[in-house]
Every structure is written in C-alpha cells, then in structure tokens.
Amino acid sequence: MRRETDEVVRGFLALNALLREELRDIRRLFAARASETKYNPNWRLQPRAPVGTPKGGQWINGGKQAQQRPAARPPQPPRPAPAPTPSRVPTHRPQIAPSRPGHIARPGPTPDTTSLPLRLFRVSPLTLALPLSGDTPRPTVTTRLVNGTIDLLLVEIDNHDGRGAHASFQRIVRPALRTPITILGQETLFRDTAPAELERLDVGVTISGGDVVFDPRDLASAYGRDLPGITTAETPVIAPQTAEEHLLAHNLRNLGADTWTINAAIQNLRNEQSDEALATALRRRGVSDANLRRIMDALRLARASHAPTILDLFPEIASARPGTIVNARQGGIQRSWGEVVESRYSTRALADGILLEIYSIDPNYAIEAPTDADLATPDTRSAYLNRLSAMRAAVHFREYGDVTLLQAETALFLQARVDQAYAEAERLYGARRLRVRLSRGEAVGNSMDRQVHRALPEFYANLGVDLGGQVRVNQREYNRSDETYRIPDARVGPTHIDWTIRRKGPRNKQIVGFFMSDSAPTLVLIFRPSQLGDNSSYAITRPRD
C-alpha cells in the first residue's frame, strides 16, 4: 500500500512540475505580447511591404512605401501545349458553373463518378490529432463511418479559410490507445490517450450539398474490396453482426476467400451448424484440402470469441419451472479459451475481433495496448482476453443500456473472485489471523464477503460502469407494500446476486425477500466457493406471484 501511495505522490509531483513549466512558457508569451503593445500599441494596424518588393513582408511607416507594387514582369510568349497521349485524354471534362465572387463552385458527378447521399455515412465521434501552430483557428472535423465497414471513415475538415471543407476517405490503422505516462523511465498510474492512426486513401472525393461525389472504382481499389451499397449496387446475402462474425469474415478475406465462402461460413456460425456441413459444401465447390483446413481453423477461432450470456452459464434456465434451483453448466462457471491462447497469433486475431466489435459501437473508446507480459503465456493471454470481453460487455451496457453481456461477465468474475477470496480466508484462518466470534465458518465467510465486496466495485470502475440504476452493489431493495427492504450483495438488471458459504434455497427468507422487492428480479444467482464441491453455485428462478 505504501509503495502505491509513493507512486501516486511521485506522479502528482511530476505532473505539477510539467504544469509549472507550461505556465512559465505562457507567462513569457504574455510578456512578449505586452512588450510589443507597450512600444507599438497599433502594431496590428501597421502596414507591411507588399510581397515581391525587396522588403516584402517587413513593417513600413505607411507612407509611399506602402503604395509600391512589384514591377510588372515582361510578357512571356505562350508555351505550346503538349499533345495529349491517348491514355491521358479525358473522356469527359466536368463543367464548372459560374460562381459568386469569392466562392468556388465544386464539380458535380461525372460519368466515372457516383453521388451518394451524405446520410448513408454514420457520424462517428472519433477524435483526430491535427497539427496546429501560431494563431491557426481550430478546424472543424467531422468523421463518418462508411456503411458495411468498421475501419473506413469519411473525414471532412473545414479550416474556416473561406475555401470550404476538404473531404477524404481514411482507413483506421490503429484505434485510440490508453498508455501509461512514463516519467524518468518509470511508468506512473496516470494514462494518456493516443489518437487513432489513420491512413488516407488515394481517392478523390468532394461533398456537394448533401451528396458525396467520388469514383467507386478508385475506392474499391484503395480499400481492397467492394463495399455493397457504396461501390457496388448489389447487397450481400449475409452481413456480419457480432464480434465472432466480424472476426470470421476478416480472417477469411485475409485468406482470399470469395463472397460465397464467407457467406456460407457466417451462415454456419450463426445457425450453429456442424463443421462437417460446411466442409462438405466447400468440397463440392472444389476447395482444396489445404484451404479447407485454413477455413475451418478460422471458423473454430470465431466460435471461441462468442460473448457468453446467463443462458450459456445456466442452460436449463429456459426450461426450468418457477421457484426452482438451476445448476450451472457442466464444468462450472468458468471460461476456457481453449486452443486460442496456445499462440500469440491466434490470441491477437481473437482480440482483434472483440476490439472490432467494441470500436464499431464506440469509435472513440480508448483501448489499452497489450504489453509483452499480456501475451507471454497462455494464462496471461487468457487474462487479457477476459479483460477485452468484459470491456465489450461494458460498452454494450453504456451505449445500449443492455445488461445481458454484463450479467455473464459479472458472474464469471464473481465465481473466480469468490474462489480466490475463500482460499485466502482459509489461509488466514489457518494462520490464526481471523477473529472468530461464533465458528470457523462464520469467520471464513465474513472474510470472504469483505474481500469480494471490495473487488466488485473496482471491477466495475475499471470498465467505466457507474454504480446506481441497473448496476448496484450492496444497496437496499425496498418492498413498498410492507415498508421493508433487503440488501443483496449485488444487482445487475433484473438479476439479484448473493455470495455465501452456506446453501440457500427458494424458501429461504432472504431469497423470498429478494423476489418480493419492488425491483421484481427474475433470477437470483448464488455464488459459493468451487472448493465446496460440484454444483456449489446455482440460480433460483422467480416463483409464481
């Protein structure tokens, strides 16, 4: 604890020194400006020598020197225009309509270009890093996500110079990253957000009124594929929707798979069909055994990125009777990434799929870059993927108000934390470091309860989930009918959560009180240490009213 406090203090001192240095620079600038005003209060109004004179740009006294103009250049004979080669002769010359004085008219669409409504491009809150210097006014930047992609943006920059906005298509090379601030070679607890890195595509584009004008062939060539509805008129049979489908389509495109293969693989994944069904269809189309193995590996990798729900952890809930106990799935409430974490490549590929889903929901989400320690061993890779999966659930909750994924991520976190807290409590009891009032079980249970109560709010804070409303920890749940209340350990949406050592059934007074509260939970989850045996944790369905 003392070491962490020292790091925080050192971090604050370092930031304080940086702020003082910036403040000194600002004071020097103000002092210089004040000096200019003191000796020449009207310096802004003083004329300069015109460009082209020997003293061009220098201050002058406003006399005759101000009226000087550069000498006229002698007329030059016109240069003969080179004869255009057949490959350079344009097939169509855009006609520029006369414009008002001080305005430049933009060319309209030509036979080689297309014009699409601007509303087809969804506005994105992505922040870009723009170089500014001197008194340059801050430009207005509008980024729009191109439909059918999660890494292609239409960027419009208005410099407020009277020449209108400049537009371009840019690909997201790296999303925004949160990295620790390093001072004197030491990482601090403070983090800085590095802007996203974008790659500008060599595609001419203009925005005329409410239309975007560009050459669809140039965009398809620069982006690397056709975009249905943007560069082509055809609509794909299946569009990726989830992280696993995006990951599957991304990996198959990298393998050079055609549209039919990608659609068939997504259909197989979405309908939970067998691998053999897809393999048979691919063999009929003449896919080689080597390519077939690569396609099936991509399909298995995508399945591993599935976002779990409570129904995945407790499969029998859907068919359970009201007011009954439902045990967790075989193997308990734990997550195994399987063969995905056996290599760095597969871990990064799966992480990219989850990050793509996060970024498609919130393009401005700051993502921490993985370190070498995160990818060192299968255990550290699993922990890294667990964090990304929890971030995905948090983004779904913040942007859509959907607690489905957050419920499952909370359950996975609590089971692991309850097991860890119970083992620590047992160690403390064996070392006679626990205060025993009634029994060993009471002392161990209280110690476990305190540890988990500290860990869960920290878990939510790291995900950026604010407590209150649908997500609550150790808060009262009132029953207005009889003016009573119960305090579950946690609540996520319509699910109340309790962690304990002793077993509690549907008729337990505390459980009945949970269901009778005004929040009317549909489910109560009971988390007990896995060390107590099989089916230690379970769910209780809501009884009939």
Side-chain angles (χ1 to χ4, degrees):
M1 185 66 184
R2 180 181 180 85
R3 180 179 179 182
E4 295 179 356
T5 303
D6 292 342
E7 290 182 359
V8 171
V9 172
R10 285 197 297 269
F12 274 116
L13 291 176
L15 288 178
N16 189 27
L18 293 175
L19 292 175
R20 287 178 179 274
E21 184 64 27
E22 291 184 2
L23 183 59
R24 282 193 291 268
D25 293 339
I26 294 174
R27 286 174 175 170
R28 283 194 292 269
L29 291 175
F30 274 111
R33 181 65 58 87
S35 176
E36 293 175 354
T37 304
K38 176 180 178 181
Y39 293 105
N40 187 5
N42 299 320
W43 66 274
R44 292 180 180 274
L45 304 177
Q46 184 175 348
R48 297 176 184 242
V51 177
T53 63
K55 296 184 178 181
Q58 297 184 13
W59 303 115
I60 58 178
N61 58 11
K64 295 183 179 180
Q65 293 180 356
Q67 306 299 325
Q68 292 180 358
R69 292 291 183 269
R73 299 178 60 184
Q76 300 292 331
R79 299 176 61 183
T85 61
S87 61
R88 294 180 179 270
V89 176
T91 59
H92 177 81
R93 183 183 299 277
Q95 299 296 325
I96 301 178
S99 60
R100 302 189 307 275
H103 291 74
I104 300 176
R106 293 176 176 176
T110 72
D112 295 332
T113 63
T114 186
S115 177
L116 296 177
L118 192 60
R119 63 177 180 271
L120 291 180
F121 303 88
R122 181 165 60 89
V123 176
S124 163
L126 183 67
T127 301
L128 306 181
L130 298 175
L132 301 177
S133 62
D135 296 331
T136 304
R138 184 174 183 84
T140 300
V141 182
T142 304
T143 59
R144 293 179 172 88
L145 190 66
V146 178
N147 281 356
T149 71
I150 54 178
D151 61 346
L152 182 61
L153 298 171
L154 175 63
V155 181
E156 185 179 5
I157 302 177
D158 188 355
N159 292 318
H160 306 290
D161 53 5
R163 291 183 291 181
H166 307 279
S168 62
F169 287 108
Q170 301 191 31
R171 187 201 304 267
I172 301 175
V173 179
R174 177 188 58 75
L177 296 176
R178 293 181 60 200
T179 55
I181 297 177
T182 303
I183 299 177
L184 300 179
Q186 297 293 326
E187 291 187 356
T188 66
L189 299 178
F190 303 96
R191 295 188 177 274
D192 183 28
T193 301
E197 290 184 4
L198 302 182
E199 174 190 9
R200 180 167 180 159
L201 303 185
D202 187 15
V203 180
V205 55
T206 59
I207 297 180
S208 179
D211 295 330
V212 182
V213 183
F214 62 95
D215 190 329
R217 294 171 301 179
D218 290 346
L219 179 58
S221 175
Y223 186 61
R225 67 178 178 91
D226 281 326
L227 301 174
I230 303 296
T231 62
T232 60
E234 63 179 271
T235 303
V237 178
I238 299 176
Q241 298 176 355
T242 61
E244 54 265 28
E245 291 178 3
H246 278 294
L247 174 63
L248 178 60
H250 175 74
N251 288 339
L252 290 180
R253 281 195 296 268
N254 289 341
L255 293 175
D258 57 13
T259 303
W260 187 94
T261 300
I262 295 175
N263 288 340
I266 293 177
Q267 187 72 45
N268 180 280
L269 179 65
R270 186 175 296 178
N271 296 337
E272 300 181 359
Q273 298 172 346
S274 65
D275 293 357
E276 187 58 33
L278 178 62
T280 301
L282 293 176
R283 289 193 187 97
R284 290 174 181 172
R285 291 182 60 88
V287 177
S288 65
D289 291 340
N291 288 336
L292 182 61
R293 284 194 298 270
R294 297 188 184 98
I295 294 172
M296 302 312 294
D297 288 342
L299 180 61
R300 284 190 290 271
L301 185 64
R303 285 200 178 104
S305 67
H306 169 68
T309 65
I310 289 296
L311 288 178
D312 294 322
L313 304 180
F314 300 89
E316 299 178 1
I317 285 180
S319 59
R321 293 179 301 166
T324 58
I325 292 178
V326 179
N327 292 323
R329 65 186 179 185
Q330 185 177 6
I333 306 174
Q334 58 182 353
R335 174 162 40 199
S336 174
W337 296 103
E339 61 183 17
V340 174
V341 295
E342 293 302 321
S343 70
R344 289 188 173 214
Y345 169 78
S346 57
T347 301
R348 282 188 176 275
L350 178 53
D352 289 343
I354 299 176
L355 291 174
L356 287 175
E357 181 176 357
I358 292 175
Y359 205 69
S360 65
I361 298 173
D362 182 5
N364 209 33
Y365 190 79
I367 302 170
E368 295 186 3
T371 63
D372 291 338
D374 291 331
L375 305 174
T377 66
D379 290 339
T380 58
R381 295 171 199 147
S382 295
Y384 174 61
L385 293 177
N386 288 342
R387 292 199 301 273
L388 290 183
S389 185
M391 291 178 187
R392 171 175 56 186
V395 170
H396 272 271
F397 172 68
R398 286 200 305 270
E399 298 297 324
Y400 303 141
D402 184 5
V403 298
T404 303
L405 301 184
L406 190 60
Q407 287 174 337
E409 292 297 334
T410 300
L412 291 166
F413 169 80
L414 282 178
Q415 185 62 71
R417 195 64 184 87
V418 164
D419 292 348
Q420 181 182 354
Y422 180 77
E424 176 65 13
E426 285 283 337
R427 186 190 68 81
L428 294 175
Y429 179 82
R432 297 184 178 182
R433 295 175 58 184
L434 292 182
R435 182 177 180 182
V436 181
R437 295 181 178 178
L438 299 177
S439 64
R440 167 187 170 279
E442 174 265 345
V444 171
N446 288 342
S447 175
M448 181 191 78
D449 184 71
R450 289 191 297 268
Q451 294 180 58
V452 180
H453 268 297
R454 289 193 299 265
L456 186 57
E458 183 179 351
F459 170 74
Y460 287 135
N462 290 335
L463 297 178
V465 174
D466 297 330
L467 297 181
Q470 294 195 79
V471 181
R472 301 157 63 90
V473 177
N474 204 32
Q475 297 293 316
R476 295 181 179 182
E477 297 293 337
Y478 285 94
N479 181 1
R480 304 296 180 183
S481 61
D482 58 2
E483 299 298 329
T484 60
Y485 64 85
R486 292 290 177 181
I487 304 179
D489 288 327
R491 171 189 158 194
V492 183
T495 301
H496 285 194
I497 299 173
D498 184 71
W499 50 83
T500 179
I501 290 180
R502 66 188 185 91
R503 194 173 181 85
K504 300 178 182 179
R507 297 185 180 181
N508 179 274
K509 186 177 180 180
Q510 185 183 27
I511 303 301
V512 172
F514 292 161
F515 285 118
M516 293 295 292
S517 64
D518 295 340
S519 57
T522 59
L523 206 65
V524 173
L525 301 181
I526 306 295
F527 290 96
R528 301 171 64 230
S530 301
Q531 295 92 322
L532 300 180
D534 296 336
N535 299 325
S536 56
S537 297
Y538 50 91
I540 302 177
T541 59
R542 181 177 181 82
R544 290 189 178 92
D545 295 332

